[in-house]
Amino acid sequence: MSIDSDIENNDIFYMRQALQEAKAAYDEGEIPIGAVIVCKDHIVARAHNNTEQLHDVTAHAEMVAFTAASNTLGSKYLTECTLYVTVEPCAMCAGAAGWEQIGRIVYGAPDAKRGFELLGHQMLHPKTEVVGGVLEEECAALMKEFFKKRRG
Amino acid sequence: MSIDSDIENNDIFYMRQALQEAKAAYDEGEIPIGAVIVCKDHIVARAHNNTEQLHDVTAHAEMVAFTAASNTLGSKYLTECTLYVTVEPCAMCAGAAGWEQIGRIVYGAPDAKRGFELLGHQMLHPKTEVVGGVLEEECAALMKEFFKKRRG
């Protein structure tokens, strides 16, 4: 196995964990987006979108996960961490990732309307690597199902 | 007095309140940025940058104030509110303001490096009005003094 395919397998493994979080959000009536943060092959935070329960439109999966990861690691920055998130982060979450100096961002489905990539990578730390499209179809399908059901 | 100068006087009054918060941050060794959120002529939240005390690089004055204002008002959106903040919001905070659908943003000093205006207004709600430069010199002077002292 090459190093590249090892990384790819890891990414799929952790994205499945993020998808589990997204499914938990779905079951709670939250927009189904999930995230995990991984540091040296350990999950240091897992979270899902929690805007309804917390009555807080900023309680995105990524924001909750960043704060949890910093608490777990007792560290100000997340330079050695990877954020796995089922949907492309918005500008707020990408801006937060910039302050956290996160090492990598791996996302599932793109978000054509609110995704940060529309605005470029300027709000991220220059060293942050970004990979999109991991388990894209599964991540997108959960979102489609949720909004279809909500429209009734 | 014209309506315009009433608005201007109001903006100066509330920016002074935000400056009080910034000074409190300064006294606590935090980067001196303060914010208040005003709804129908009442302050519904006041906060300052709290990244050191909370060990959380996302605990910017605006983020703390948004969550507090939503709690106070029991409201998901802040469409009838104005955010007063002593320094131009970053992309994270402007993205959050977008989700909050805040009515107005009034800031003091521009932030040439991390200010959201570098990236345009796309991350804000289309109806959000933005005013910069209110008490700009006082807001900027506090930041300069802080960083000068820190470099020691």
Side-chain angles (χ1 to χ4, degrees):
Chain A
M1 293 270 280
S2 71
I3 290 173
D4 276 1
S5 67
D6 271 358
I7 291 174
E8 211 179 295
N9 285 337
N10 257 348
D11 284 352
I12 290 171
F13 175 80
Y14 288 120
M15 189 59 81
R16 288 213 186 285
Q17 300 293 313
L19 261 167
Q20 275 186 13
E21 284 294 322
K23 283 171 189 162
Y26 183 99
D27 291 340
E28 293 168 17
E30 300 277 0
I31 295 175
I33 300 176
V36 297
I37 292 178
V38 175
C39 182
K40 295 175 185 166
D41 271 328
H42 287 89
I43 293 178
V44 293
R46 36 192 326 141
H48 56 259
N49 182 47
N50 224 342
T51 54
E52 295 299 324
Q53 206 187 327
L54 296 179
H55 305 285
D56 182 347
V57 292
T58 70
H60 288 193
E62 301 95 315
M63 299 302 286
V64 181
F66 286 144
T67 299
S70 295
N71 277 340
T72 305
L73 296 172
S75 155
K76 206 167 167 179
Y77 301 114
L78 304 176
T79 40
E80 298 198 58
C81 296
T82 299
L83 164 72
Y84 292 89
V85 57
T86 57
V87 176
E88 182 186 346
C90 70
M92 171 183 71
C93 294
W99 291 112
E100 300 282 0
Q101 302 188 11
I102 198 131
R104 284 178 84 222
I105 295 174
V106 180
Y107 68 82
D111 180 347
K113 275 190 197 162
R114 305 294 299 246
F116 81 98
E117 302 237 41
L118 285 168
L119 300 165
H121 286 196
Q122 213 178 327
M123 62 190 88
L124 298 178
H125 190 272
K127 286 191 179 165
T128 301
E129 188 199 345
V130 179
V131 178
V134 173
L135 299 183
E136 175 176 339
E137 283 179 28
E138 285 179 58
C139 295
L142 198 61
M143 292 287 275
K144 273 180 210 152
E145 203 179 304
F146 178 83
F147 287 108
K148 195 176 152 190
K149 199 172 109 186
R150 198 156 80 163
R151 278 193 303 270
Chain B
M1 293 269 280
S2 71
I3 290 172
D4 275 2
S5 67
D6 271 359
I7 291 174
E8 213 179 293
N9 285 337
N10 257 348
D11 284 352
I12 291 171
F13 175 81
Y14 289 121
M15 189 59 82
R16 289 215 186 281
Q17 300 293 311
L19 261 167
Q20 276 187 11
E21 283 295 320
K23 283 170 189 162
Y26 184 98
D27 291 340
E28 294 168 17
E30 300 278 359
I31 294 175
I33 300 176
V36 297
I37 293 178
V38 175
C39 182
K40 295 176 188 167
D41 271 328
H42 286 88
I43 293 179
V44 293
R46 35 191 329 140
H48 56 258
N49 182 47
N50 224 342
T51 53
E52 296 298 324
Q53 204 187 330
L54 295 179
H55 304 285
D56 182 347
V57 290
T58 70
H60 288 193
E62 301 95 313
M63 299 301 286
V64 181
F66 286 144
T67 298
S70 295
N71 277 340
T72 305
L73 296 172
S75 156
K76 206 166 167 180
Y77 302 113
L78 304 176
T79 40
E80 299 197 58
C81 297
T82 298
L83 165 71
Y84 292 90
V85 57
T86 56
V87 176
E88 182 186 344
C90 71
M92 172 183 72
C93 294
W99 291 112
E100 300 281 1
Q101 302 188 11
I102 198 131
R104 283 178 86 222
I105 296 175
V106 179
Y107 67 82
D111 181 347
K113 275 190 197 161
R114 305 295 299 249
F116 81 98
E117 302 235 41
L118 284 169
L119 300 165
H121 286 196
Q122 213 178 327
M123 61 189 88
L124 298 179
H125 189 273
K127 286 190 180 167
T128 301
E129 189 198 345
V130 180
V131 178
V134 173
L135 298 183
E136 175 176 341
E137 283 178 29
E138 286 180 56
C139 295
L142 199 60
M143 292 287 276
K144 273 181 210 150
E145 202 180 306
F146 179 83
F147 287 109
K148 194 176 154 191
K149 198 172 110 186
R150 199 158 81 164
R151 277 193 304 270

